[in-house]
Amino acid sequence: MPHPKLVDTVQGGTPRRVLVFNFFAGLKARGIPLYARELEVCFERVGAHHEELRAPAWLAAAPVWLQNLAFVYYEQVVAPWTARRLGCELTVYPYNSVGLWDAWRRRAVMVVHDLIPNRRDQRGLAARYIRTCQVLHARRGGPLATVSRHTQRQLQRIPQFALSPKYLWVNPFYGFERALALMPPAPAAAPVAGRRLRVVLCSGTGANKDFRGALTLLSRLGVSELPELRVLGFGDSAELARGRVTQRLRPAWAEQVTVLPQISLSAIIDEFRQADFVWVHSRAEGFGRPVMEARLCGRPVLATDIGAFRQLRKLRHVHLYRDEAFGDAWRAAVQDAQAPCPAAHADFLHHQIEAEVARLLTDTAAASPHAPQGHSAANGSRA
């Protein structure tokens, strides 16, 4: 149940009405669409009404270029029109960009997951579109929500975002915890000694996932350390990943690698719980969802030493590595897998995002020209 003080803070008389622009819900199972659905749960918990705008179902069979073109049209035209038709006071844009009409009217919140599109080497149309949206939103002083303190610190160092109020909307993992609670108890793990390790590698097609780099690190292990490796994250591109495995690893090693197709959330939980540990290799992330999911399942984690993963070390049983010290970190994770590893809990994330969402709704209500007479951030902060 939501904290009653948060509900009081947001409502202040009448609940806020919010539109969540979750375009890729129904087209993709993980990533930002999943995060946006978690946001919708959070709005319910703090007492705000929400609506969801998603892509039409027929786009699931369309080529990627058409999906991306439709995304821009929906973000710039359909979302502002829908918000106005439904009487929504605020639209949440969770895909690193924003509807410019809503940004101009100061009725938009842009969620920034990472700053990969802002790098100088990112010159594609998608990166330019995202940067243009961000700059124009920031010039209007539009609010920004980030999914991690790491990303928030990066934004604070960029002068163009100085005028924008910033909120920390961490990933709350409501749905994952709910699915985990419905699963039968995990069987007792077999002793590690005398058998081949079972390791889940979380990767994907993005350049930041550096799948080739992960395979190169794997090839540096001794023969006795070679695990049964199960690779998550490629979905419909599983064949592409299998090709890279055969190119990078010797045949005897490649036989130990299984690239999984797109699977359900319950199947992902099974994979995590059956693994001796979970390996998350990436060069840049906004939050690091697989690290938290693995810890919720009670498994140790081996992860690249980057800012987004560094902030999760307080969960314990998270082993970070730089490439030159990969072998040592691998052996530390193996040793950790032989000892009890209590599951982490996401309550602290629930409290963080619910408080920050309530704060934004209160702030925007106070700034709105349609706010009730006498309503202000001061009289709305009874929590």
Side-chain angles (χ1 to χ4, degrees):
M1 291 294 292
H3 196 291
K5 289 186 178 179
L6 294 181
V7 177
D8 289 344
T9 298
V10 177
Q11 289 182 344
T14 57
R16 305 298 304 283
R17 193 172 185 86
V18 178
L19 176 66
V20 179
F21 176 62
N22 194 6
F23 181 83
F24 285 103
L27 306 184
K28 297 180 180 180
R30 302 269 292 171
I32 296 178
L34 180 56
Y35 170 80
R37 287 196 293 272
E38 301 276 37
L39 278 183
E40 293 168 15
V41 176
C42 185
F43 283 124
E44 292 175 2
R45 289 169 66 97
V46 301
H49 294 189
H50 77 274
E51 304 286 345
E52 182 188 67
L53 175 62
R54 58 170 63 189
W58 62 266
L59 268 178
V64 173
W65 68 265
L66 183 55
Q67 291 181 2
N68 292 338
L69 192 62
F71 170 83
V72 174
Y73 173 72
Y74 265 68
E75 186 166 67
Q76 298 304 325
V77 178
V78 179
W81 177 82
T82 302
R84 186 168 184 172
R85 180 175 62 85
L86 296 177
C88 295
E89 304 164 68
L90 201 64
T91 302
V92 177
Y93 291 90
Y95 288 91
N96 277 349
S97 52
V98 70
L100 295 179
W101 177 244
D102 279 338
W104 178 259
R105 297 168 65 227
R106 292 191 174 95
R107 287 175 175 260
V109 183
M110 182 172 64
V111 181
V112 180
H113 294 263
D114 56 59
L115 294 176
I116 294 173
N118 303 73
R119 293 177 176 175
R120 292 181 180 178
D121 61 345
Q122 298 294 310
R123 300 177 181 176
L125 286 176
R128 292 180 182 181
Y129 170 76
I130 288 172
R131 289 197 296 268
T132 300
C133 289
Q134 291 179 349
V135 168
L136 295 176
H137 182 69
R139 284 180 181 174
R140 295 291 291 170
L144 301 172
T146 61
V147 299
S148 70
R149 294 190 186 279
H150 173 68
T151 304
Q152 192 173 69
R153 285 193 295 268
Q154 288 181 308
L155 281 179
Q156 289 170 343
R157 293 196 294 264
I158 301 176
Q160 71 186 41
F161 297 119
L163 295 177
S164 294
K166 299 169 186 68
Y167 302 85
L168 183 60
W169 287 9
V170 296
N171 205 319
F173 296 92
Y174 299 124
F176 191 89
E177 286 191 310
R178 189 163 53 247
L180 188 59
L182 296 175
M183 300 284 288
V192 173
R195 66 172 175 85
R196 192 181 295 277
L197 284 172
R198 184 185 177 104
V199 176
V200 169
L201 169 62
C202 297
S203 189
T205 56
N208 62 309
K209 301 299 184 182
D210 187 31
F211 184 55
R212 288 189 178 91
L215 295 176
T216 299
L217 292 175
L218 185 70
S219 67
R220 296 177 186 172
L221 296 175
V223 175
S224 62
E225 296 177 297
L226 182 66
E228 174 193 348
L229 188 69
R230 299 177 69 79
V231 182
L232 276 173
F234 280 93
D236 296 336
S237 301
E239 284 301 322
L240 172 66
R242 292 187 189 102
R244 291 177 182 173
V245 169
T246 56
Q247 291 171 7
R248 294 295 232 186
L249 299 179
R250 288 174 287 179
W253 289 47
E255 290 176 0
Q256 301 301 324
V257 180
T258 301
V259 181
L260 298 167
Q262 184 166 309
I263 58 177
S264 66
L265 180 56
S266 60
I268 290 172
I269 292 173
D270 273 337
E271 289 291 338
F272 283 162
R273 296 203 303 185
Q274 292 175 28
D276 291 300
F277 64 85
V278 176
W279 177 19
V280 187
H281 181 83
S282 180
R283 299 303 179 189
E285 294 288 341
F287 179 79
R289 184 179 187 93
V291 175
M292 188 67 196
E293 289 178 338
R295 290 298 300 115
L296 290 173
C297 291
R299 304 317 306 144
V301 177
L302 176 68
T304 324
D305 188 3
I306 59 176
F309 297 162
R310 221 171 283 139
Q311 65 186 355
L312 295 173
R313 281 182 299 186
K314 63 183 177 182
L315 298 173
R316 302 181 65 183
H317 305 281
V318 176
H319 305 271
L320 302 180
Y321 66 87
R322 298 184 182 275
D323 287 5
E324 60 271 17
F326 174 74
D328 292 338
W330 179 277
R331 286 181 278 277
V334 172
Q335 186 174 7
D336 199 3
Q338 302 179 52
C341 182
H345 299 280
D347 291 351
F348 71 103
L349 297 175
H350 300 174
H351 296 320
Q352 282 184 22
I353 189 171
E354 288 165 20
E356 286 288 275
V357 165
R359 183 167 71 91
L360 177 133
L361 292 175
T362 301
D363 291 349
T364 53
S368 171
H370 305 289
Q373 188 68 28
H375 181 81
S376 67
N379 66 31
S381 58
R382 296 188 296 273

